Amino acid sequence: PAGSPPGPTRPGTKRLPQAIVVGVKKGGTRAVLEFIRVHPDVRALGTEPHFFDRNYDRGLEWYRSLMPRTLDSQITVEKTPSYFVTKEAPRRIFNMSRDTKLIVVVRNPVTRAISDYTQTLSKKPDIPTFEGLSFRNRSLGLVDTSWNAIRIGMYAVHLESWLQYFPLSQIHFVSGEKLITDPAGEMGKVQDFLGIKRVITDKHFYFNKTKGFPCLKKSESSGLPRCLGKSKGRTHVQIDPEVIEQLRDFYRPYNIKFYETVGQDFRWE
């Protein structure tokens, strides 16, 4: 009816993200997103928009429309782990904003590959063995770097594309291993990197022995924990120790180069 007041408008504005969790798949990105969104100064998109890899032709306004509303004091965050291995993603994100803060969650590349394979196997039980997919010729030790599960873990190679556009000071690396053993410590560093107060502390976590990783308490006072979904913490497929050893040897030079580049030893050796 004419003259009636407009409906309640939600406070805040939809903004392009100031920080993006760009990788890596099966590294712990969902945990980082769920943990950081507890912070009152952070609003995060829950789903993966895949804008900078699959939906770029839809344009920035489409991307912005997906974002949660934020107040001036809040940061907008999104995560799509496949960005880290997408050749065009660094340039596209740089073109959106050269000030974008990037978060990369990394974990031991061999464990990451097994986790990746375990996830695929749960959806496609007919796929070849992990060993069969990992090697072009196992007796010669020739690893198949065209298989995505192997390729993603070559972090030093992918990082080169990012460093053409962003300084290391704008990229924060989270240890997927420490995210399990010391979630508050790792999230403290993430909060520092984002320039927000350290609100998320060890009071927010408890360790779930069944799943084997930390769960989030809803708030410091609430006793009701929130754990990640059923697909998280799956039991990995058993892999021949010799195969693991060969893959460790394969990744070693990439790992060392990665440590040297980022100035951080993740102790995967």
Side-chain angles (χ1 to χ4, degrees):
S4 66
T9 54
R10 293 191 50 211
T13 314
K14 292 191 173 204
R15 292 184 180 85
L16 292 167
Q18 294 103 311
I20 305 176
V21 182
V22 295
V24 303
K25 183 185 178 194
K26 306 311 292 175
T29 58
R30 169 56 61 186
V32 168
L33 191 79
E34 291 301 329
F35 296 165
I36 199 64
R37 66 196 306 190
V38 171
H39 200 294
D41 294 340
V42 172
R43 294 296 314 281
L45 179 63
T47 54
E48 295 174 6
H50 284 280
F51 176 62
F52 295 104
D53 55 357
R54 298 181 201 158
N55 294 308
Y56 195 62
D57 56 344
R58 295 190 176 205
L60 277 173
E61 283 315 305
W62 174 82
Y63 183 48
R64 187 200 301 270
S65 74
L66 304 176
M67 297 300 149
R69 291 179 179 276
T70 51
L71 305 171
D72 288 346
S73 58
Q74 292 175 315
I75 297 172
T76 306
V77 179
E78 78 109 320
K79 83 140 179 125
T80 304
S82 49
Y83 291 162
F84 190 64
V85 297
T86 301
K87 263 276 183 263
E88 304 80 16
R91 175 177 51 81
R92 289 170 173 177
I93 293 173
F94 178 85
N95 287 341
M96 172 186 77
S97 168
R98 59 176 56 197
D99 299 324
T100 309
K101 292 186 174 187
L102 307 165
I103 295 171
V104 187
V105 191
V106 287
R107 94 195 257 203
N108 184 318
V110 181
T111 322
R112 197 221 67 79
I114 296 168
S115 178
D116 202 332
Y117 175 79
T118 303
Q119 183 181 41
T120 308
L121 189 67
S122 72
K123 296 172 187 167
K124 301 178 187 166
D126 305 336
I127 57 168
T129 63
F130 177 81
E131 185 183 315
L133 290 165
S134 296
F135 295 93
R136 282 186 292 139
N137 184 323
R138 196 185 149 197
S139 57
L140 294 175
L142 291 175
V143 172
D144 190 349
T145 57
S146 69
W147 184 34
N148 222 19
I150 293 292
R151 187 157 184 77
I152 290 171
M154 296 158 66
Y155 305 137
V157 173
H158 305 300
L159 183 58
E160 282 175 17
S161 309
W162 293 89
L163 293 178
Q164 286 173 22
Y165 292 91
F166 294 96
L168 265 178
S169 57
Q170 256 169 266
I171 310 174
H172 179 70
F173 299 92
V174 176
S175 159
E177 284 82 16
K178 283 194 186 156
L179 199 57
I180 294 169
T181 58
D182 179 21
E186 281 302 288
M187 292 312 295
K189 292 180 207 162
V190 171
Q191 291 168 93
D192 293 348
F193 172 68
L194 293 175
I196 54 181
K197 198 170 158 222
R198 284 199 179 201
V199 171
I200 302 160
T201 64
D202 48 15
K203 295 187 194 122
H204 286 83
F205 300 99
Y206 87 101
F207 194 78
N208 181 320
K209 288 196 175 69
T210 319
K211 278 188 165 283
F213 56 72
C215 293
L216 202 55
K217 294 177 184 173
K218 277 285 193 212
S219 68
E220 290 182 32
S221 56
S222 155
L224 290 172
R226 186 169 84 228
C227 288
L228 300 175
K230 283 201 273 300
S231 67
K232 306 298 176 185
R234 274 196 198 97
T235 306
H236 286 179
V237 179
Q238 283 299 302
I239 307 295
D240 177 347
E242 276 183 31
V243 169
I244 289 175
E245 205 46 55
Q246 279 179 292
L247 289 178
R248 276 196 187 135
D249 291 344
F250 165 75
Y251 279 121
R252 192 166 290 113
Y254 294 101
N255 290 346
I256 290 166
K257 188 173 182 207
F258 181 62
Y259 300 165
E260 286 170 354
T261 308
V262 307
Q264 205 173 330
D265 184 347
F266 289 89
R267 303 183 179 274
W268 295 323
E269 302 313 312

